[in-house]
Amino acid sequence: MGLLRLCWRGLFAGVFTSIVVARMRLLNLFFGKNYPRNLRIRRRWARVVLKNCGIRLTVSGDIPASPCVLVVNHRSWLDPMLILRDVLAFPVAKAEMSDWPLLGSGAKLAGIIYVQREDSGSRLSTLRQMAIQIKAGHSIMIFPEGTTSDLEGTLPFKTGAFQVAAKMKIPVVPVALLYADKA
């Protein structure tokens, strides 16, 4: 029964994601690119997928209403979806994700900033894109560890996002993800 449920959830997530990405593409084609609209669509997508995949989430604390830099520890590939379920923000992610079928192009439509971590020019461009989105009134979500880890604490942080927040005079909001089950 467990394998059947897993297959159903995976199939549902794939089909639903395909529908949402197609919808965003059509809306952008006919009505122009609109990040606020796409961010709301992405938030609904995350809520539906998480719920239908049986993922329960408890949130403690207030969700920021004004632009900020959300600094999140990184435990799993699922982390961005958990945060974006409730927060309208532009996540920063590794450029390799842009090649992922369906998710890569859908994420681009829904406001993601890709960075090639080994390329200093790309890192600088990412910082500029972050500043542009902050000036437009959007929040940024970043995983400054740069990779996932199952350590009790965090890995050393990359500092670029903190520099942007200080320069733009916006708050840095820490977000801690804790999983009840390490698996």
Side-chain angles (χ1 to χ4, degrees), residues 75-98:
R75 298 294 180 250
S76 162
W77 62 270
L78 195 58
D79 297 347
M81 190 185 310
L82 296 173
I83 302 299
L84 297 173
R85 180 195 87 145
D86 296 313
V87 178
L88 299 175
F90 279 71
V92 176
K94 60 185 178 181
E96 299 87 67
M97 276 187 55
S98 67

Side-chain angles (χ1 to χ4, degrees), residues 38-52 54-61 63 70 72 78-89 91 141 143 175 177:
N38 290 349
L39 295 177
R40 289 189 304 274
I41 292 170
R42 183 188 62 203
R43 180 174 56 190
R44 282 192 301 273
W45 165 82
R47 288 176 177 175
V48 169
V49 169
L50 290 170
K51 180 181 178 186
N52 285 283
I55 298 170
R56 293 181 308 240
L57 182 64
T58 302
V59 178
S60 299
I63 297 170
L70 296 156
V72 187
L78 195 58
D79 297 347
M81 190 185 310
L82 296 173
I83 302 299
L84 297 173
R85 180 195 87 145
D86 296 313
V87 178
L88 299 175
M141 179 182 71
F143 298 90
V175 178
L177 292 174

Side-chain angles (χ1 to χ4, degrees), residues 67-69 124 127-132 134-135 159-172:
C68 64
V69 173
L124 186 58
L127 296 176
R128 284 190 201 113
Q129 290 176 54
M130 290 169 59
I132 289 167
I134 291 166
K135 283 180 187 173
T159 61
F162 297 97
Q163 294 168 0
V164 170
K167 185 176 180 182
M168 308 278 307
K169 295 181 173 53
I170 65 164
V172 172

Side-chain angles (χ1 to χ4, degrees), residues 116-137:
Q116 290 179 321
R117 296 179 289 187
E118 65 285 343
D119 180 346
S120 61
S122 176
R123 291 191 309 268
L124 186 58
S125 174
T126 297
L127 296 176
R128 284 190 201 113
Q129 290 176 54
M130 290 169 59
I132 289 167
Q133 294 308 328
I134 291 166
K135 283 180 187 173

